[in-house]
Amino acid sequence: MNNSVTNTARLLWAGLRALLVLTLVTGVIYPLVVTGIAQGLFSDQANGSEITSDGKVVGSSLIGQSYNLPLKKGQETPEPDLKWFQGRPQNGLGTNSVNTRYSLILSGATNRSADNKDLVDWVTAAKAAVVKDNSVNGYTVKPSEVPADAVTSSGSGLDPDISPQYADIQVHRVAEKNGLPVDRVEKLVDDHTEGRTLGFMGEPRVNVLELNTALRELLAKS
């Protein structure tokens, strides 16, 4: 009887020691090492790829933001604030309970097929809006110049980037709305255009938040 109790106690103590050691290694030491390496070598990414302006965090370079006017009485969908560069459609081109305008509850798009009538209608309307909004005095956007990313959301609905083509057709409108020379706004776009990763992966892109942050800083100096 005594031997049985002693063996049980030894097994319990061995199990407790294993639990304590594993808890210390996997629950304390390993997270601290990983966090230390991340902060030492990849601090920007580890902290959420934050973008700052005037010493304040204004967002993440990984997640898109909306640039809209305040809702008017009776409005359900806000109108874009056209003095800023606009990103990709934010809700799958229509009412989408999965991702409601960068609310970050979940990510996703409408998952409609290319021949879905609602999707076709939304894309048609979105293209007409892009042409209308960006056609200003002395500059007219042709429907054929509107790139796909201007009228479709990304798979996640949170894409922070747009194509250089979409940024370019917004230049004249942004310049006019802000009273800036077109060439200065064009330079902003050029300065914030990134090429393919490692020269062959992905597509050239422009981060809208970074671009609008630079635009805000330019306006503050003007």
Side-chain angles (χ1 to χ4, degrees):
M1 182 68 177
N2 289 336
N3 288 337
S4 177
V5 172
T6 300
N7 289 335
T8 299
R10 288 175 177 172
L11 290 174
L12 288 173
W13 174 235
L16 180 59
R17 282 185 297 175
L19 175 62
L20 291 173
V21 170
L22 289 173
T23 298
L24 178 63
V25 172
T26 62
V28 179
I29 296 176
Y30 178 73
L32 287 176
V33 170
V34 171
T35 300
I37 292 174
Q39 290 294 335
L41 300 179
F42 312 102
S43 60
D44 180 58
Q45 294 89 335
N47 291 318
S49 300
E50 296 173 339
I51 294 177
T52 59
S53 179
D54 295 328
K56 299 179 180 178
V57 176
V58 295
S60 169
S61 63
L62 303 177
I63 300 172
Q65 292 189 18
S66 57
Y67 295 89
N68 296 323
L69 295 170
L71 279 172
K72 298 177 183 177
K73 186 176 180 180
Q75 271 188 330
E76 294 184 0
T77 303
E79 297 175 2
D81 189 344
L82 297 179
K83 70 179 182 180
W84 302 108
F85 284 93
Q86 297 293 314
R88 298 186 66 167
Q90 303 155 9
N91 63 342
L93 288 174
T95 302
N96 182 353
S97 61
V98 176
N99 171 36
T100 54
R101 298 184 177 277
Y102 296 141
S103 66
L104 304 185
I105 296 174
L106 291 172
S107 64
T110 60
N111 203 33
R112 285 175 166 83
S113 63
D115 60 353
N116 179 272
K117 184 180 184 304
D118 288 337
L119 180 61
V120 172
D121 290 343
W122 292 334
V123 169
T124 301
K127 177 177 284 191
V130 169
V131 170
K132 176 178 178 293
D133 290 342
N134 293 286
S135 294
V136 297
N137 291 330
Y139 179 78
T140 301
V141 177
K142 300 176 182 177
S144 60
E145 296 173 335
V146 178
D149 62 294
V151 297
T152 58
S153 64
S154 63
S156 68
L158 305 176
D159 193 349
D161 302 321
I162 57 176
S163 65
Q165 291 79 11
Y166 187 26
D168 287 341
I169 65 175
Q170 298 185 62
V171 164
H172 287 76
R173 181 253 299 164
V174 170
E176 182 180 88
K177 293 290 183 181
N178 290 286
L180 292 171
V182 171
D183 59 345
R184 293 189 72 180
V185 182
E186 286 178 337
K187 187 176 186 307
L188 277 184
V189 172
D190 292 340
D191 290 345
H192 289 83
T193 299
E194 299 180 44
R196 292 180 172 86
T197 303
L198 299 179
F200 68 93
M201 291 191 295
E203 294 294 331
R205 59 200 180 277
V206 181
N207 187 285
V208 180
L209 176 56
E210 293 179 354
L211 180 59
N212 278 333
T213 299
L215 174 61
R216 188 188 303 274
E217 293 172 353
L218 176 60
L219 290 172
K221 297 175 182 177
S222 300

